């Protein structure tokens, strides 16, 4: 039976072997699955270790696979989310991390990966203070959600622009392809603005946006190319905000905390934020876990929420490595 791939995420992770117990019951051992962990073991990142890209496919049946575009793991292999960890730096703040397990065709563990939600520092001890299997899906879902930040102005069906924190379910929002649509649900969360949870700032005017636009790293912006400057083969393209970072007009805004908001409609739509086209929450087996239990229960298991491909070609991982990429995309949208 064919298992449809509903979404693909690119997440920064470490091989488990690069994060080992420096002091504790399992000294020298790498991070492991939940049953092998001992609370209060202190881990350190091995010298020279850097996060690498793990391609994650979410399938319609709720399972995960390693995508072909990956730097870690075996493309096509089954991938399981084992547990969520809380690590306490010494000294410093706590951070969350996820343990993911690659299995082979016989169902045996082939590899393990650590996905931290904040940057790990070398030569710093991280004490394991908690580990939980039940919350792991929700933590990953929160990371995978496309989110706007507090203050982002969303265009309503009337043409009025309203700050996202002032919207409520039932408000009618202008969409690019489906006219005016009602908001089904609005998610709100606060996260430390570090690592995978640090928002991307696209300065006013960079992509013809009326004001500064601050979104989560995986948030796709929809651009219409009047000329195909990047060779996408399509006039309509979706670009991941994190892939536009150039250290000048598009930057990672780290530090402090960020309020994230998710807008859910009956389907995946392209709406307008700060005057430019951006996606709403794409509901799939991965992101579904951010919804309240009662709303999850009310939704049909086989919900067809559409896909990014309905709105253009997702070019994020195929973008040319050019310092003038943002300017090139802006020009393509104008001529």
């Amino acid at each position: 039976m064919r298992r449809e791939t509903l979404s693909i995420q690119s997440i920064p992770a470490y091989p488990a072997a690069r994060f080992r117990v420096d002091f504790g019951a399992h000294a020298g051992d790498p991070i492991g699955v939940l049953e092998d962990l001992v609370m209060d073991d202190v881990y350190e990142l091995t010298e020279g270790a850097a996060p690498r890209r793990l391609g994650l496919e979410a399938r319609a049946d709720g399972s995960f696979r390693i995508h072909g575009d990956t730097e870690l793991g075996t493309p096509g292999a089954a991938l399981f989310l084992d547990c969520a960890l809380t690590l306490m730096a010494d000294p410093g703040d706590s951070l969350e991390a996820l343990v993911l397990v690659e299995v082979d065709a016989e169902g045996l563990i082939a590899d393990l990966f650590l996905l931290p939600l904040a940057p790990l520092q070398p030569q710093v001890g991280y004490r394991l203070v908690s580990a939980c299997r039940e919350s792991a899906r929700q933590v990953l879902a929160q990371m995978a959600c496309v989110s706007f930040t507090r203050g982002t102005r969303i265009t309503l069906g009337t043409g009025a622009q309203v700050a996202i924190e002032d919207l409520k379910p039932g408000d009618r929002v202008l969409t690019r392809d489906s006219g005016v649509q009602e908001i089904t649900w609005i998610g709100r969360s606060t996260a430390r603005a570090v690592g995978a949870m640090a928002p991307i700032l696209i300065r006013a005017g960079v992509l013809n946006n009326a004001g500064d636009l601050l979104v989560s790293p995986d948030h796709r912006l929809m651009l219409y190319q009047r000329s195909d400057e990047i060779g996408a083969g399509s006039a309509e393209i979706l670009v991941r905000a994190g892939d536009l970072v150039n250290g000048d007009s598009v930057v990672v805004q780290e530090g402090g905390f960020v309020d994230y908001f998710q807008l859910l409609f009956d389907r995946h739509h392209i709406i307008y934020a700060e005057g430019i086209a951006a996606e709403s929450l794409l509901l799939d087996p991965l992101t579904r876990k951010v919804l309240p239990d009662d709303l999850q229960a009310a939704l049909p298991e086989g919900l067809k929420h559409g896909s990014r491909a309905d709105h253009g070609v997702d070019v994020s991982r195929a973008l040319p490595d050019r310092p003038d990429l943002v300017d090139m995309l802006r020009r393509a949208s104008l001529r």
Side-chain angles (χ1 to χ4, degrees):
M1 180 178 68
R2 180 176 176 269
R3 291 182 172 86
E4 181 185 5
T5 296
L6 292 185
S7 71
I8 299 169
Q9 301 289 331
S10 182
I11 56 179
Y14 294 89
R18 305 309 298 268
F19 195 64
R20 293 182 174 272
V21 178
D22 180 61
F23 177 79
H26 288 173
D29 288 353
I31 195 77
V33 296
L34 181 65
E35 290 77 11
D36 296 335
L37 300 176
V38 174
M39 295 303 109
D40 290 328
D41 273 357
V42 178
Y43 291 80
E44 273 196 15
L45 194 62
T46 59
E47 187 176 355
R52 300 169 64 193
R53 189 179 72 255
L54 176 63
L56 175 68
E57 291 184 8
R59 301 291 185 90
D61 61 1
S63 65
F64 297 138
R65 293 273 167 176
I66 298 178
H67 184 59
D69 181 15
T70 188
E71 294 177 338
L72 290 175
T74 305
L79 192 66
F80 291 89
L81 184 57
D82 182 72
C83 60
L85 312 176
T86 301
L87 302 164
M88 181 69 72
D90 185 23
D93 297 323
S94 64
L95 64 88
E96 289 185 295
L98 296 170
V99 175
L100 297 102
V101 180
E102 176 188 335
V103 301
D104 61 22
E106 284 72 44
L108 301 176
I109 294 177
D111 213 341
L112 275 80
F113 310 105
L114 180 73
L115 166 58
L117 271 65
L120 294 173
Q121 303 299 324
Q123 298 181 323
V124 170
Y126 293 92
R127 186 177 301 275
L128 178 62
V129 296
S130 72
C132 176
R133 188 159 281 152
E134 289 72 22
S135 64
R137 278 266 183 166
Q138 188 168 18
V139 172
L140 182 60
Q142 190 65 55
M143 178 182 170
C145 279
V146 297
S147 305
F148 300 98
T149 60
R150 179 176 295 276
T152 302
R153 293 175 297 175
I154 304 298
T155 302
L156 302 185
T158 61
Q161 292 188 322
V162 176
I164 195 166
E165 63 269 23
D166 294 331
L167 295 175
K168 60 185 182 302
D171 282 348
R172 294 166 60 80
V173 170
L174 179 65
T175 72
R176 185 176 186 272
D177 298 314
S178 302
V180 178
Q181 297 292 323
E182 289 189 359
I183 299 172
T184 301
W185 173 79
I186 302 175
R188 298 174 175 85
S189 61
T190 300
R192 289 180 60 209
V194 292
M197 300 303 290
I200 306 300
L201 172 61
I202 302 168
R203 301 192 191 279
V206 170
L207 292 176
N208 307 309
N209 43 310
D212 288 350
L213 179 62
L214 198 63
V215 295
S216 58
D218 269 343
H219 210 131
R220 266 69 168 182
L221 306 175
M222 191 272 175
L223 301 178
Y224 181 85
Q225 297 188 104
R226 297 182 185 277
S227 58
D228 191 1
E229 295 276 340
I230 64 172
S234 173
E236 297 180 345
I237 60 174
L238 296 171
V239 182
R240 179 179 173 270
D243 291 327
L244 297 174
V245 172
N246 58 14
D248 179 20
S249 58
V250 182
V251 297
V252 179
Q253 187 160 293
E254 285 197 309
F257 290 83
V258 58
D259 292 331
Y260 276 131
F261 294 78
Q262 301 88 36
L263 294 183
L264 177 71
F265 297 86
D266 63 336
R267 289 183 60 81
H268 182 243
H269 289 296
I270 300 297
I271 62 175
Y272 294 91
E274 296 300 335
I276 63 172
E279 67 176 334
S280 66
L281 176 61
L282 173 61
L283 202 61
D284 60 27
L286 178 55
T287 57
R288 186 180 181 125
K289 289 294 182 180
V290 302
L291 302 181
D293 290 342
D294 57 344
L295 184 53
Q296 285 192 53
L299 295 174
E301 281 298 323
L303 175 70
K304 294 295 184 182
H305 204 236
S307 71
R308 290 190 172 101
D310 295 336
H311 304 292
V313 175
D314 189 345
V315 298
S316 293
R317 282 170 287 277
L319 288 171
D321 185 14
R322 291 182 50 164
D324 62 342
L325 175 61
V326 173
D327 291 335
M328 186 167 64
L329 288 171
R330 184 173 184 274
R331 290 194 303 270
S333 69
L334 294 174
R335 68 186 189 191

